[in-house]
Amino acid sequence: MTALSVIIPIYNEEGNIPALYERLKKVVSAITPEHELLFVNDGSRDRSIQLIKEFTAKDSTVRYIDFSRNFGHQIAVTAGLDHAKGDAVVIIDADLQDPPELIAEMYKKMKQGYEVVYARRRNRKGEGWLKKTTAKYFYRILASITSIDIPLDTGDFRIMHRSIVDVLKQMPEQQKFLRGQISWAGFNQTFIEYDRDERHAGKTGYTYKKMIRFALDGITSFSTLPLKFASALGFIVSIAAFVTSLYVLFSKFVMHDAVPGWASLMLVVLFLGGVQLICIGIIGEYISRMSANVRNRPLYVVREMK
Ligand code: UDP
Ligand code: MG
């Protein structure tokens, strides 16, 4: 029996693994002896996997999954969720930006009857202005265009109950945006606040390219608003086109000041512009429904049944 699993995605973290192990082990042992530390090596190019294997040899609670190449942070965590055995599962970064000591508080809060306790950043140290600002606005824009409650300023650092892990395992979507999927799953969720530390050693594995892809995954998985944009634009353009057409007709037949050919040309351009955008919008409506089907999420999640 495993009471508590800790999933740690690892991409080039050799400078952090020993300190992380020490701090995690101390916190987790105090909570329960029935724990496991599950490292997921996401194609690191440094000595991370050797270090992990040394810990596995010394400590039977340390397990690992070693990827054949770099698949990305969300996929690494997903692999961890697939293989974690605990009744409660923690996701934590390896770089000690998420203080392991908070797990004790999260665990306690979970025992008060919450299925998810996530850690919300009060502020974040040692990160560039650009990263902080883009992250801040990304979460706010996402929150405003989606119908589920995705918490602001929150990463994947959290504890969750087995029932949530089982829901996540039923979501076969290829583009993972776990923090959104967890909100989608429902149940009782709450948060604690913390100050995010600087990276202990090494440098970020999240390049801007990876961050942009992640942001787009989040938006496309949890909002169809961008797809519906064409319909909205189509209506606005059509109304504007109608008003302009009236002006064109007025100018030709009442004022008689139109250059020959201008009026007919204008009418065709305005009409086609509106029709095209509306048609793209209709296609968008179908695609948004198709993408929901392709995602193949469960239709509902049951808390209890008799
Ligand atoms: N990570 C990963 N695969 C990647 C990039 C990052 O498994 O392709 C891991 C990394 O080792 C760390 C966590 O994901 O444990 C968060 O990454 P990082 O600290 O580089 O991101 P940041 O905190 O800068 O957003
Ligand atoms: Mg980090």
Side-chain angles (χ1 to χ4, degrees):
M1 201 200 86
T2 312
L4 181 64
S5 302
V6 182
I7 298 172
I8 315 127
I10 299 286
Y11 181 58
N12 300 339
E13 304 282 10
E14 61 183 3
N16 295 318
I17 291 170
L20 172 75
Y21 174 82
E22 289 305 323
R23 281 173 65 180
L24 259 183
K25 192 73 193 173
K26 201 162 149 202
V27 178
V28 170
S29 312
I31 297 173
T32 168
E34 305 292 328
H35 61 255
E36 62 176 2
L37 305 182
L38 179 50
F39 289 86
V40 186
N41 181 39
D42 184 17
S44 298
R45 294 163 194 280
D46 62 359
R47 294 189 61 255
S48 293
I49 190 64
Q50 281 90 322
L51 292 177
I52 294 166
K53 284 180 176 166
E54 278 168 30
F55 284 115
T56 316
K58 281 192 292 209
D59 178 349
S60 63
T61 67
V62 176
R63 299 169 60 205
Y64 67 84
I65 299 168
D66 188 18
F67 279 179
S68 60
R69 65 170 170 84
N70 181 244
F71 282 89
H73 169 239
Q74 296 287 297
I75 308 291
V77 175
T78 303
L81 292 170
D82 286 340
H83 294 94
K85 296 183 183 138
D87 297 328
V89 177
V90 170
I91 304 171
I92 190 170
D93 282 358
D95 56 5
L96 293 168
Q97 284 194 289
D98 306 329
E101 292 70 25
L102 280 185
I103 296 173
E105 199 184 326
M106 289 175 170
Y107 192 80
K108 214 158 81 196
K109 201 135 192 184
M110 196 177 81
K111 288 288 161 193
Q112 293 166 7
Y114 293 98
E115 277 83 7
V116 179
V117 183
Y118 55 86
R120 185 170 166 169
R121 306 184 273 254
R122 212 176 292 126
N123 55 53
R124 42 206 304 187
K125 281 183 244 167
E127 277 170 327
W129 169 87
L130 190 60
K131 178 152 188 166
K132 273 194 221 170
T133 317
T134 48
K136 183 174 165 197
Y137 286 104
F138 167 69
Y139 286 110
R140 276 154 187 81
I141 290 171
L142 182 62
S144 68
I145 62 174
T146 164
S147 55
I148 60 162
D149 248 336
I150 301 178
L152 300 174
D153 306 320
T154 304
D156 287 326
F157 183 30
R158 60 189 67 211
I159 192 167
M160 48 195 164
H161 190 261
R162 172 54 49 190
S163 46
I164 295 277
V165 177
D166 289 341
V167 174
L168 295 177
K169 286 166 79 170
Q170 280 183 58
M171 297 174 85
E173 51 210 70
Q174 290 269 315
Q175 280 75 33
K176 298 286 181 190
F177 188 73
L178 288 166
R179 51 200 79 166
Q181 291 172 241
I182 293 167
S183 302
W184 178 94
F187 293 100
N188 296 331
Q189 310 207 359
T190 189
F191 65 94
I192 57 177
E193 284 192 310
Y194 78 116
D195 298 309
R196 192 156 214 237
D197 288 332
E198 281 179 49
R199 221 172 206 285
H200 176 259
K203 59 181 181 14
T204 178
Y206 257 97
T207 55
Y208 272 100
K209 195 174 147 200
K210 282 182 184 171
M211 269 170 55
I212 290 169
R213 192 187 312 148
F214 181 57
L216 286 177
D217 282 347
I219 291 173
T220 53
S221 303
F222 288 97
S223 175
T224 50
L225 204 74
L227 271 177
K228 297 193 166 132
F229 181 68
S231 326
L233 203 64
F235 273 106
I236 293 168
V237 169
S238 299
I239 291 169
F242 179 71
V243 173
T244 317
S245 306
L246 292 181
Y247 164 73
V248 169
L249 293 172
F250 181 75
S251 166
K252 177 161 170 72
F253 293 111
V254 180
M255 306 297 288
H256 298 291
D257 61 356
V259 179
W262 172 77
S264 50
L265 201 65
M266 278 300 281
L267 290 180
V268 170
V269 169
L270 290 168
F271 179 71
L272 277 184
V275 167
Q276 278 175 345
L277 278 170
I278 288 179
C279 289
I280 293 176
I282 292 172
I283 296 175
E285 294 292 331
Y286 278 90
I287 291 184
S288 77
R289 282 156 184 79
M290 270 165 64
S291 65
N293 278 320
V294 169
R295 254 180 246 130
N296 214 2
R297 285 182 194 159
L299 280 182
Y300 48 82
V301 178
V302 177
R303 189 201 295 272
E304 222 178 359
M305 225 160 62
K306 229 178 177 173

